[in-house]
């Protein structure tokens, strides 16, 4: 795995990211989107995240982008501002070679550096052993399952909530606590 590089995503990576996500939307249950967003929409989402100060990473392997991960606002209301929700997607051909875990570990570190205190994974489909497995390996705890909240490919789908403290978590107050 010597040529694997985890680095910040750039605009030039977005065609590959769009393709990876398109496959996940069309054939997978990890995401509850039903229509794959096009490059323009993926670019808009990328800009919102990066301009908002959230980390957005790619895994480059043998010259091509094979996966990506980002953190974004868990919920828009301001009291949630120290909590992020993460996403991680890989090309199917490259699963189970440790790349998802490396992306997620780096995303955790980058989120900690930015001062976020909790990371939440909302995992589509309780049968998604890969996602549950990689989050468990990265220190996430199982919070619980929302049964049958999604409907895709003609069947009901659960979401699985997992969570991990970042940095000092709730042990200390954030630096801007005087504001609220
Ligand atoms: C989930 C995903 C990112 C995992 O990435 P990956 O590179 O395949 O996983 P890794 O090789 O890093 O796995 C790390 C560990 O996670 C666990 N794991 C990964 N895949 C697993 C699976 N299918 N079943 C059980 N455990 C699994 C294992 O403990 C594994 O370590 P090991 O291989 O030494 O046993 C990848 O499978 C993917 O893109 N899936 C489709 C999209 C998706 O579900 N994204 C998550 C949205 S919340």
């Amino acid at each position: 795995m010597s040529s694997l590089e985890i680095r910040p995503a750039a605009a030039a990576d977005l065609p590959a990211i769009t393709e990876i996500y398109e496959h996940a939307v069309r054939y997978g249950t990890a995401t509850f989107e039903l229509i794959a967003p096009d490059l323009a929409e993926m670019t808009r989402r990328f800009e919102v995240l990066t301009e908002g100060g959230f980390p957005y990473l790619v895994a480059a392997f043998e010259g091509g982008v094979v996966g990506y991960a980002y953190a974004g606002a868990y919920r828009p209301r301001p009291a949630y501002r120290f909590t992020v929700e993460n996403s991680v997607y890989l090309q199917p051909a490259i699963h189970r070679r440790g790349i998802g875990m490396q992306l997620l570990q780096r995303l955790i570190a980058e989120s900690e550096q930015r001062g976020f205190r909790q990371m939440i994974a909302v995992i589509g489909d309780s049968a998604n052993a890969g996602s549950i497995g990689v989050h468990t390996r990265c220190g996430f705890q199982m919070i619980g399952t929302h049964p049958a909240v999604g409907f895709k490919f003609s069947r009901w789908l659960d979401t699985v909530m997992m969570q991990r403290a970042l940095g000092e978590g709730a042990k200390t107050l954030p630096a801007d606590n005087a504001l609220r």
Side-chain angles (χ1 to χ4, degrees):
M1 204 61 77
S2 56
S3 78
L4 179 71
E5 185 193 10
I6 310 286
R7 58 166 173 77
D13 300 320
L14 288 166
I17 290 170
T18 302
E19 203 173 305
I20 291 167
Y21 189 56
E22 180 181 354
H23 189 280
V25 172
R26 290 178 64 150
Y27 304 109
T29 50
T31 170
F32 282 10
E33 287 204 74
L34 302 177
I35 298 167
D38 63 10
L39 177 60
E41 172 60 13
M42 292 298 280
T43 302
R44 191 194 66 75
R45 295 180 188 186
F46 169 76
E47 287 170 354
V48 167
L49 289 166
T50 51
E51 285 165 16
F54 297 100
Y56 199 131
L57 306 170
V58 291
F61 182 55
E62 291 177 351
V65 169
V66 296
Y68 68 96
Y70 62 80
Y74 171 58
R75 290 196 175 179
R77 294 193 177 172
Y80 287 113
R81 67 196 180 283
F82 295 102
T83 299
V84 289
E85 180 177 336
N86 74 289
S87 289
V88 50
Y89 288 91
L90 299 188
Q91 277 178 2
I94 207 104
H95 284 188
R96 208 67 193 260
R97 293 166 73 170
I99 299 176
M101 197 155 88
Q102 288 196 51
L103 266 172
L104 190 49
Q105 285 171 338
R106 175 81 177 272
L107 190 73
I108 289 164
E110 297 271 344
S111 299
E112 288 176 332
Q113 278 171 20
R114 288 163 168 80
F116 296 112
R117 294 299 186 93
Q118 301 289 331
M119 183 174 277
I120 292 180
V122 181
I123 298 168
D125 197 350
S126 45
N128 191 342
S131 185
I132 293 169
V134 81
H135 284 92
T136 302
R137 283 286 297 274
C138 288
F140 285 69
Q141 291 184 324
M142 184 64 73
I143 302 299
T145 300
H146 291 296
V149 290
F151 189 79
K152 186 174 181 181
F153 303 146
S154 306
R155 65 187 177 94
W156 296 108
L157 292 169
D158 305 337
T159 54
V160 175
M161 308 289 291
M162 297 185 75
Q163 183 169 345
R164 184 194 196 284
L166 298 173
E168 296 182 336
K171 292 191 189 117
T172 59
L173 295 179
D176 78 347
N177 69 79
L179 300 174
R180 298 283 187 279

